[in-house]
Amino acid sequence: MSTATAFAAATALLLTACGGGDDGSADNDKIAGAGQGTAAPSPSATSGASSEAKPDGVDVTLPGDMNLVFDWKEPNKKNEAAAMEDAANFMRAIYRGVDKRTAEDAAVLTYSTGGGRHYAETQIESRVDGGWTATGTRRHYQATTRSVPTGTAVEVAFCVDSSKFFGREIKTGKVLKTKPSSEDFDYFKLIMVKHPTGKDLWQASEVYVEGKAAKCQ
């Protein structure tokens, strides 16, 4: 098995894929996983990052060759807009953990809890164990939101295009490029829960992923 093939296999999405359906913005009190509790956010990491790169006082900056693009519009509802913003911070936190070689980075601990924390740890640790980091551009798009009437949980769903985002070997610097395929497209559903003591802080409590998502191609 080639190194690139091993990387692709090791980084395959590890959670149960979610089904399709209408994911437009609408109040819904039956969002799966919305009852998940929250964990206290950690103290922010020491960093020279600008205030714009430190939402909630936590550094979410990434190296220059690791570009996460969020090509989506902010929802009109305040809670949904805040949850969407922190859903993006959760995705940044995962790759910051990959870059820092630890699942204990302050960004990961701040923007995840429960199943979301487990997902982040799994993604980070698989790359650390394999001796890989990431490089290139990962695009997030076609985002939708829906919230429960209480305003304490929001489902943020979106597509991801990783066709220009690759693994890179830490020791050699070799970029593990693969041919474009349907495997580059995934559909995510994050259950974001409002932290009871953090002002406008939302944490990913569950992550559902549909691989080879036709709706994203």
Side-chain angles (χ1 to χ4, degrees), residues 115-134:
R117 178 75 51 79
H118 175 70
Y119 176 83
E121 290 173 346
T122 300
Q123 296 300 301
I124 294 166
E125 290 169 2
S126 68
R127 290 159 173 79
V128 172
D129 292 345
W132 303 308
T133 183

Side-chain angles (χ1 to χ4, degrees), residues 19 32 35 39 67 69 85 95 101 139 152 174 191 204 208:
N67 187 27
V69 175
E85 180 179 355
Y95 285 98
R101 318 308 290 165
R139 180 170 169 254
T152 58
K174 179 181 178 181
I191 306 304
Y208 302 92

Side-chain angles (χ1 to χ4, degrees), residues 143-174:
T144 60
T145 55
R146 57 175 179 157
S147 55
V148 298
T150 59
T152 58
V154 173
E155 177 189 273
V156 181
F158 52 90
C159 289
V160 173
D161 176 0
S162 299
S163 61
K164 297 180 180 179
F165 199 62
F166 309 104
R168 178 170 59 80
E169 293 180 345
I170 296 291
K171 289 184 178 181
T172 67
K174 179 181 178 181

Side-chain angles (χ1 to χ4, degrees), residues 31-98:
I31 295 176
Q36 173 67 48
T38 61
S42 67
S44 63
T46 301
S47 171
S50 65
S51 59
E52 291 82 2
K54 296 180 66 177
D56 304 298
V58 179
D59 191 359
V60 293
T61 55
L62 296 170
D65 68 333
M66 197 183 288
N67 187 27
L68 302 190
V69 175
F70 297 91
D71 186 11
W72 56 39
K73 294 182 179 179
E74 182 178 294
N76 292 326
K77 294 182 179 179
K78 181 180 178 180
N79 276 354
E80 293 184 4
M84 177 180 280
E85 180 179 355
D86 283 346
N89 287 330
F90 170 68
M91 303 305 286
R92 294 185 183 103
I94 291 175
Y95 285 98
R96 180 174 170 83
V98 170

